[in-house]
Amino acid sequence: MSITRQIENREDVFLLVSTFYNKIKKDDFIGPIFLEIIPDDEWDSHLDKLTDFWETTLFFKRTYKGNPMKAHKDVDTHFNHTITQKHFGKWLELWFSTIDSLFIGDKAHEAKERARNIASLLFLRIFESRKLTSK
């Protein structure tokens, strides 16, 4: 699929998020994590929530309600603190390739930069919480 247009609205964000998570589900490395955590019947609501998150992040619309830090710490706990930088790296690789296959422009670049910052912060906080819980 090669659309390569600007990210302009919620529909574009949903296209990005849903295409990205279809790639995630098929990925041998990080797919199993997502498939174990998110039950089949909850994928639609998960995609809606993440569309809210990215719409809020990119367009400053206050549609997202949630705590991504807690959610990611809970995932790490569920997998016995085995989430690594490689998992976040693969997530970013798939995010970037999805953006590049669909979109161009400032918002596409911003979506990449924000994802890079978010991934770094999430992993740092996960790592810090491991240190606190191991004491």
Side-chain angles (χ1 to χ4, degrees), residues 15 17-18 21 28 30 40 57 59 62 66 70 77 88-89 96 105 108 115 119 122 128-129 134-135:
L15 175 62
V17 168
S18 59
Y21 279 98
D28 292 337
I30 61 174
D40 287 343
T57 300
F59 295 103
R62 303 191 87 168
K70 181 183 180 326
T77 299
F88 283 94
F96 282 27
L122 286 172
E128 287 174 345
S129 72
S134 68
K135 288 184 178 182

Side-chain angles (χ1 to χ4, degrees), residues 20 23-24 30 34 54 85-100 111-123:
F20 170 67
K23 287 183 180 184
I24 290 277
I30 61 174
F34 286 84
W54 284 103
Q85 285 180 309
K86 288 182 181 179
H87 293 101
F88 283 94
K90 185 62 172 182
W91 185 93
L92 283 171
E93 176 189 319
L94 293 171
W95 180 251
F96 282 27
S97 69
T98 303
I99 291 170
D100 289 342
K112 290 179 186 179
E113 289 304 308
R114 289 185 183 253
R116 183 181 288 122
N117 293 338
I118 290 165
S120 297
L121 181 62
L122 286 172
F123 183 72

Side-chain angles (χ1 to χ4, degrees), residues 72-85:
H72 288 82
K73 287 179 183 178
D74 290 349
V75 169
D76 185 55
T77 299
H78 177 84
F79 286 99
N80 298 311
H81 308 290
T82 58
I83 303 298
T84 68
Q85 285 180 309

Side-chain angles (χ1 to χ4, degrees), residues 4-5 9 14 19 22 27 30 47 49 52-53 57 64 71 83-85 88-90 92 95-96 102 104 107 115 122:
T4 58
R5 64 174 189 251
N9 53 42
F14 180 78
T19 303
N22 282 334
D27 186 78
I30 61 174
L47 293 176
K49 180 175 251 192
D52 289 347
F53 176 82
T57 300
Y64 178 72
I83 303 298
T84 68
Q85 285 180 309
F88 283 94
K90 185 62 172 182
L92 283 171
W95 180 251
F96 282 27
L102 297 171
I104 58 171
K107 288 292 182 194
L122 286 172

